[in-house]
Amino acid sequence: MLRSCPISWLLWLTAILLPFTPVHAASASYGYDTVHSQILFSIDHDGYSRPFGRLHLAKGWLRFDPDNWTTAATELDIDLSGLDMGDAAWNAAVCKPALLDCAHNRYAHFVSTSVERKDDRHGVLHGQLTMRGITQPLSVPFTFNRAAKTIYGLHTVAGFSATATLDRNAFGITANRDSIGHDVNVWLELEAIRDDHAGQPSTSQSSASPPSKEQP
């Protein structure tokens, strides 16, 4: 009887303290919703204006826990060949080898390395962007909008807004120096759907290879 008392006391103490032990939910996996995600960019045109263009998110995955951002990570591909400047001839000109070289480097690939949390809704995503076969570090300030079930309860969705600035010269895009600006401003509106089978980080990614088809 005496030997069992310490064990009984330990079990009783554990039962009392367990409800007060902080519990962090595990990071959930998400697949990007390529329909509701939008990517816009703008670049100076000879000082006259800063025209906008649109790019399409081809595929990607996200790992995110709203209560614990330290485990957050993401990887995504952007289809450069699908860019839309509002004019077919302009689209073709931007896709030429001297600029984006879409035929040989169709996808821009981003993979995160860390997340810097600023407050409950704002942070900076640090990672590596590969474009035209050149990889450069990139920091992306973002806002976490919300994570919740859709109005019909069919999916759990996480939404983010983000911005970034690229130096096109750093990726070997040096043509038309006198008429096209060097800094490219990018805006991202991203939605990701909870998917426990969403992809995991790849060890390598070819920017010329098409991504696998996403499940709806």
Side-chain angles (χ1 to χ4, degrees), residues 142-156:
F142 70 91
T143 299
F144 167 48
N145 297 323
R146 67 187 297 230
K149 283 190 174 295
T150 59
I151 189 171
Y152 299 110
L154 299 178
H155 304 289
T156 296

Side-chain angles (χ1 to χ4, degrees), residues 92-114:
V94 176
C95 267
K96 287 183 177 180
L99 294 175
L100 292 183
D101 193 17
C102 301
H104 299 98
N105 297 277
R106 180 174 177 178
Y107 298 99
H109 181 70
F110 178 82
V111 58
S112 66
T113 54
S114 64

Side-chain angles (χ1 to χ4, degrees), residues 3 19-20 44 55 65 105 129 137 140 144 171 174 189 198 201 210:
R3 291 181 180 178
F20 300 97
D44 180 79
L55 292 167
D65 175 1
N105 297 277
L129 176 66
V140 183
F144 167 48
F171 295 93
T174 58
E189 295 293 331

Side-chain angles (χ1 to χ4, degrees):
M1 292 292 295
L2 292 177
R3 291 181 180 178
S4 64
C5 286
I7 297 177
S8 299
W9 178 84
L10 181 61
L11 292 174
W12 173 83
L13 182 62
T14 300
I16 292 296
L17 294 179
L18 187 59
F20 300 97
T21 302
V23 176
H24 296 288
S27 293
S29 296
Y30 296 79
Y32 282 111
D33 180 347
T34 58
V35 174
H36 293 101
S37 296
Q38 305 281 326
I39 302 174
L40 298 178
F41 67 92
S42 176
I43 190 168
D44 180 79
H45 177 231
D46 203 18
Y48 296 114
S49 65
R50 293 190 62 90
F52 285 90
R54 180 182 177 185
L55 292 167
H56 298 279
L57 180 61
K59 71 167 186 176
W61 60 267
L62 168 71
R63 186 169 64 245
F64 185 67
D65 175 1
D67 298 322
N68 182 15
W69 292 16
T70 61
T71 60
T74 189
E75 189 170 1
L76 56 87
D77 290 296
I78 299 170
D79 187 357
L80 301 179
S81 69
L83 75 91
D84 182 7
M85 301 291 296
D87 179 81
W90 201 359
N91 296 345
V94 176
C95 267
K96 287 183 177 180
L99 294 175
L100 292 183
D101 193 17
C102 301
H104 299 98
N105 297 277
R106 180 174 177 178
Y107 298 99
H109 181 70
F110 178 82
V111 58
S112 66
T113 54
S114 64
V115 176
E116 179 184 356
R117 186 169 186 170
K118 298 296 186 180
D119 56 38
D120 288 346
R121 295 187 59 212
H122 302 91
V124 179
L125 181 67
H126 302 285
Q128 301 283 336
L129 176 66
T130 300
M131 190 163 56
R132 287 174 51 100
I134 298 174
T135 300
Q136 295 286 346
L138 180 65
S139 295
V140 183
F142 70 91
T143 299
F144 167 48
N145 297 323
R146 67 187 297 230
K149 283 190 174 295
T150 59
I151 189 171
Y152 299 110
L154 299 178
H155 304 289
T156 296
V157 177
F160 303 84
S161 300
T163 59
T165 300
L166 312 179
D167 178 1
R168 70 182 181 99
N169 295 304
F171 295 93
I173 309 174
T174 58
N176 303 95
R177 291 179 180 273
D178 298 329
S179 61
I180 301 176
H182 302 293
D183 292 333
V184 184
N185 295 328
V186 183
W187 293 265
L188 303 98
E189 295 293 331
L190 303 173
E191 293 188 22
I193 300 173
R194 174 73 181 267
D195 179 2
D196 293 337
H197 301 290
Q200 294 300 309
S202 62
T203 55
S204 63
Q205 175 75 22
S206 171
S207 61
S209 301
S212 58
K213 184 178 180 181
E214 286 281 285
Q215 294 296 322

